[in-house]
């Protein structure tokens, strides 16, 4: 369910199985398992949620359990995993995007750039030891909360977005700048 409060604030109500949710967060925070993008998103959601009703105190207990500093091993695992996805191993997103650009497959370009950005932002939030806030306003949130931004962060992304469907050669250059920044 979702809605808007009288003061204009939008809200979402999510229904989750707390045992499954807690197990997913534990696999990340306590077992340091990276995902292919959005690794710490559920942890972020737990840390920032406002409890309105918690009959048995289980959600509050989960919040307390995972109210810990960013684990160094988790940071390393997320960075390593996403670097492989971005560039290091076949089929790295960079290579997939290049192939799609060369064959003029715009749907594939869009799909692969989206996957590339999932890994890229997961990498950036881990590098800065910040939990991943989800898919909305990522550039703005990186600008606000990540003290270690890539060089020309916003300019490089804007350039990729302006070239990915119109100028394959420049889009490839944009990808290299993003990865090397």
């Amino acid at each position: 369910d979702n809605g808007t409060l009288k003061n204009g604030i939008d809200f979402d109500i999510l229904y989750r199985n707390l045992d499954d949710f807690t197990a997913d967060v534990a696999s990340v925070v306590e077992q340091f398992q990276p995902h292919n993008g959005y690794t710490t998103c559920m942890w972020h959601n737990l840390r920032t949620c406002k409890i309105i009703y918690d009959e048995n105190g289980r959600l509050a207990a989960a919040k307390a359990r995972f109210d810990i500093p960013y684990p160094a091993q988790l940071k390393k695992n997320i960075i390593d995993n996403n670097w492989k996805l971005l560039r290091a191993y076949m089929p790295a997103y960079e290579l997939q995007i290049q192939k799609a650009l060369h064959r003029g497959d715009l749907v594939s370009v869009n799909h692969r750039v989206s996957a590339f950005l999932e890994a890229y932002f997961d990498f950036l939030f881990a590098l800065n030891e910040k939990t991943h806030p989800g898919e909305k306003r990522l550039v703005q949130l990186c600008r606000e909360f990540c003290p270690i931004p890539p060089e020309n962060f916003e300019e490089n992304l804007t350039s990729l977005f302006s070239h990915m469907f119109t100028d394959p050669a420049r889009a490839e250059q944009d990808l290299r700048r993003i990865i090397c920044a």
Side-chain angles (χ1 to χ4, degrees), residues 3-4 9 17 22 28 30 32-33 39 53 55 78 96 99 109-110 116-117 131 134 149 161-162 167 173 179 181:
T4 303
I9 296 175
N17 177 298
T22 303
V28 170
E30 296 172 345
F32 320 121
Q33 294 179 5
T39 299
Y53 178 76
E55 182 177 3
I78 292 171
Q96 292 179 31
K99 288 178 182 179
V109 169
N110 185 67
F116 174 89
L117 292 174
T131 53
F161 296 142
S162 69
D167 191 336
Q173 294 169 0
I179 290 173

Side-chain angles (χ1 to χ4, degrees), residues 31 40 44 55-56 74-75 107 117 128 130 141 149-150 152:
Q31 298 165 19
T40 58
H44 179 86
E55 182 177 3
N56 300 322
L74 176 62
K75 175 181 178 176
V107 171
L117 292 174
N128 286 278
K130 303 293 181 190
L141 293 171
N152 301 315

Side-chain angles (χ1 to χ4, degrees), residues 2-13:
N2 58 45
T4 303
L5 299 175
K6 290 181 182 177
N7 61 2
I9 296 175
D10 292 331
F11 67 90
D12 294 316
I13 298 174

Side-chain angles (χ1 to χ4, degrees), residues 19-47:
D19 293 329
D20 293 342
F21 178 73
T22 303
D24 181 52
V25 175
S27 74
V28 170
V29 179
E30 296 172 345
Q31 298 165 19
F32 320 121
Q33 294 179 5
H35 298 184
N36 292 350
Y38 301 100
T39 299
T40 58
C41 188
M42 291 298 109
W43 183 27
H44 179 86
N45 184 260
L46 179 61
R47 293 176 91 182

Side-chain angles (χ1 to χ4, degrees), residues 45-112:
N45 184 260
L46 179 61
R47 293 176 91 182
T48 60
C49 75
K50 293 180 179 29
I51 300 173
I52 296 172
Y53 178 76
D54 186 15
E55 182 177 3
N56 300 322
R58 291 178 62 222
L59 183 57
K63 279 181 73 87
R65 174 181 171 186
F66 297 112
D67 185 19
I68 63 169
Y70 205 106
Q73 188 63 49
L74 176 62
K75 175 181 178 176
K76 179 188 181 314
N77 291 354
I78 292 171
I79 289 171
D80 290 349
N81 183 66
N82 284 293
W83 182 251
K84 291 174 187 174
L85 293 171
L86 291 168
R87 188 159 203 202
Y89 292 96
M90 278 299 288
Y93 294 140
E94 179 187 26
L95 299 174
Q96 292 179 31
I97 295 166
Q98 288 173 354
K99 288 178 182 179
L101 287 166
H102 286 265
R103 66 177 181 265
D105 186 346
L106 300 183
V107 171
S108 184
V109 169
N110 185 67
H111 183 66
R112 295 294 79 204

